[in-house]
Amino acid sequence: CAPTWAASKRSSRCADMAEASFLTVPGSGEPTRPFAEVVDGARRALPPAFPHEADKVMVALDIDGTVLTPRGASHHVRAGIRELVAAGAQVVIASGRAPEDEMFDVLDELGFTNGWVVCNNGATVLRVSGGGVEVVRQEFLDPAPLIDSALEAMPEAVFYSAVPGAKRLLSAPFPPGELEQGSEIIPLERMRSTPTPKIVVRAPGMGREEFDRAIHSLSAADRYEVFVGWTSWADIGPLGATKASALEWLRSRLGVPRDGTVAVGDGTNDIAMIEWAFFGAAMGGATEEVRACADHVTAAVENDGAAAVMRVVLERCGADGAR
């Protein structure tokens, strides 16, 4: 899901192990649950037909609210990713974030140095290997119809365009604590005329439900993929570009069987990939709309629900080394 809450400035991982802080979603409020209990629930839910060979497995993980808390990633999450990669499984980080949205800080925090990254809700696919990053697939949208129809319905709306390689390009300042660092205010006409993989629409004065109704009723809404976040924030992508479409493209390219696919997420932008996966898991902090699409509801991010799913996949493949 798109990061829409402020956390204190993220500190670099350093020698004295000072605690990092990330811009991400707040905690779910779920009571503390023993990790063994969460693992047991995922173990019972894993389909019997799921493969026993790690090289037939692809695990797609959302970032915010799934593997990342404001304090960073847990030991269980980092170990699960590391062990899956070591076993030969394909691990894919699948996020609404643009590469410019501290993506590489997050990958560092996860210990993710080799694998695939789906950004911009499926519009961009990256290959991370040996310290290098390659853009292997990217789709763009024409932002003008969207911006025009959004301003007609919500004159107070502000926009962020995730143009590759650029700073965050904003039409006007976002609320304090959101998208402050590495941002540039640009003329609206420049934003309208520049193709981009993703546009964010933000209407700070509107409640989430009112905003959801407004954004889906835009005259241009049917030309794009629309994902409303936790507040009056929407990620808008090219029509047909979703996390699921990017993951299916990757699955076919990598030769992973359909019954070896796993997806874990918590936001509305994760629904498509949760439904796409052979084993789709919703986080405990997800809304009922997201939970209803899942094969299994695991624990919230603060109780390592995603790590529990990774653990049982490792067990099934006889490679459970995560502790």
Side-chain angles (χ1 to χ4, degrees):
C1 51
T4 56
W5 278 267
S8 57
K9 184 178 179 182
R10 191 244 195 224
S11 302
S12 297
R13 182 177 292 273
C14 54
D16 63 3
M17 298 302 289
E19 187 174 29
S21 183
F22 293 84
L23 179 68
T24 188
V25 298
S28 70
E30 182 180 85
T32 300
R33 296 176 58 184
F35 186 57
E37 171 190 295
V38 182
V39 171
D40 190 52
R43 186 182 293 123
R44 292 194 301 270
L46 190 68
F50 194 82
H52 290 264
E53 302 86 5
D55 62 359
K56 295 182 179 179
V57 171
M58 172 188 285
V59 178
L61 303 166
D62 172 52
I63 291 178
D64 299 289
T66 299
V67 296
L68 187 72
T69 75
R71 296 183 303 278
S74 73
H75 164 72
H76 285 304
V77 163
R78 289 172 59 87
I81 292 172
R82 182 180 65 248
E83 293 292 335
L84 281 169
V85 172
Q90 297 289 345
V91 176
V92 183
I93 305 302
S95 177
R97 291 179 181 242
E100 294 76 22
D101 290 335
E102 287 79 49
M103 176 64 78
F104 301 108
D105 286 343
V106 173
L107 297 182
D108 177 63
E109 172 65 17
L110 296 174
F112 190 84
T113 58
N114 184 41
W116 299 89
V117 181
V118 170
C119 307
N120 292 323
N121 291 311
T124 304
V125 179
L126 309 177
R127 179 76 169 98
V128 179
S129 178
V133 179
E134 176 190 5
V135 178
V136 295
R137 187 172 188 249
Q138 192 143 249
E139 300 179 55
F140 292 85
L141 60 83
D142 172 7
L146 170 69
I147 291 173
D148 293 346
S149 63
L151 286 175
E152 183 179 352
M154 300 172 285
E156 76 280 16
V158 292
F159 305 92
Y160 154 39
S161 179
V163 175
K167 293 181 178 181
R168 295 187 180 105
L169 302 180
L170 311 183
S171 65
F174 272 51
E178 296 181 4
L179 305 182
E180 290 178 331
Q181 296 181 359
S183 298
E184 177 185 353
I185 306 298
I186 65 169
L188 191 61
E189 188 54 40
R190 176 182 162 194
M191 185 175 287
R192 290 180 71 258
S193 62
T194 305
T196 178
K198 183 181 77 170
I199 284 277
V200 170
V201 182
R202 181 79 164 99
M206 298 180 72
R208 199 271 184 191
E209 291 186 8
E210 179 189 9
F211 176 79
D212 184 272
R213 290 193 297 270
I215 203 76
H216 281 101
S217 65
L218 297 182
S219 58
D222 60 357
R223 305 186 199 181
Y224 305 94
E225 297 292 340
V226 179
F227 307 104
V228 176
W230 297 86
T231 62
S232 53
W233 169 304
D235 281 359
I236 313 294
L239 189 64
T242 66
K243 291 185 181 184
S245 69
L247 289 167
E248 177 58 22
W249 179 83
L250 265 179
R251 183 198 70 79
S252 177
R253 172 177 173 146
L254 298 172
V256 176
R258 285 281 297 116
D259 61 3
T261 54
V262 179
V264 191
D266 72 313
T268 56
N269 61 339
D270 297 316
I271 289 175
M273 76 169 184
I274 288 171
E275 293 180 330
W276 162 85
F278 185 71
F279 182 49
M283 298 296 290
T287 64
E288 198 55 45
E289 179 185 8
V290 179
R291 289 167 172 247
C293 301
D295 302 303
H296 172 60
V297 178
T298 186
V301 62
E302 56 265 40
N303 285 315
D304 280 324
V309 172
M310 288 189 276
R311 173 68 65 83
V312 300
V313 171
L314 285 162
E315 286 179 357
R316 177 62 63 89
C317 297
D320 181 24
R323 293 291 183 267

